[in-house]
Amino acid sequence: MGKQHSIRQGAQGPRERWSLDAGGADVARLDIPADAQRERVFELDCRFVVRRRAGVDDAWHELRISVDGALRWSRRVDSAEGSDSLDYRFNLRVPPGQPLRLLATTAVQGVQRVSLAWEALEE
């Protein structure tokens, strides 16, 4: 599991890009430090991929998204045969001087976790 940070050039100058690939872990936490000088708007994407185990009748997977310690979104779905996923994408404005703490937690039954990843692109 590793964090990545890069700067990309946008129309108004450099923009931040953060990503985290937690692999088959059940939790992925991405902490983006504060910028004391400016407000930022991020497009955030979390993707959870599972693979259904053979011969399992009651299979499901769940993804819960928390932002700065508060639950923002949660979904549990029946898992399809083969591979399946849950994705959540949203935009968030971050004021100057405020860090951003993103947490994805998962639960499963009858499936194997394949990947859990965050991506944050500054708009």
Side-chain angles (χ1 to χ4, degrees):
M1 178 163 78
K3 292 181 187 177
Q4 297 177 359
H5 174 253
S6 64
I7 302 293
R8 60 185 175 92
Q9 189 65 32
Q12 283 76 38
R15 298 291 184 232
E16 294 177 58
R17 178 183 180 273
W18 296 82
S19 63
L20 173 73
D21 182 350
D26 60 343
V27 174
R29 180 179 174 151
L30 178 60
D31 293 320
I32 300 174
D35 185 316
Q37 304 300 315
R38 63 190 178 88
E39 176 179 84
R40 299 169 293 170
V41 176
F42 286 100
E43 180 179 356
L44 303 160
D45 183 38
C46 186
R47 181 168 176 80
F48 177 41
V49 179
V50 299
R51 182 175 301 114
R52 188 170 177 156
R53 296 182 192 279
V56 174
D57 292 331
D58 185 23
W60 53 263
H61 57 287
E62 176 180 289
L63 175 62
R64 297 171 60 87
I65 302 294
S66 296
V67 176
D68 295 329
L71 180 64
R72 179 177 178 104
W73 182 84
S74 178
R75 192 78 70 236
R76 177 183 286 189
V77 297
D78 292 335
S79 302
E81 294 291 330
S83 291
D84 202 353
S85 66
L86 276 170
D87 300 271
Y88 185 61
R89 179 173 284 188
F90 60 107
N91 292 332
L92 193 64
R93 186 174 304 277
V94 182
Q98 181 178 324
L100 180 57
R101 291 176 177 83
L102 304 168
L103 181 66
T105 56
T106 65
V108 299
Q109 178 176 299
V111 299
Q112 176 184 352
R113 291 176 179 91
V114 174
S115 67
L116 179 59
W118 275 108
E119 185 170 50
L121 296 174
E122 186 180 6
E123 294 184 338

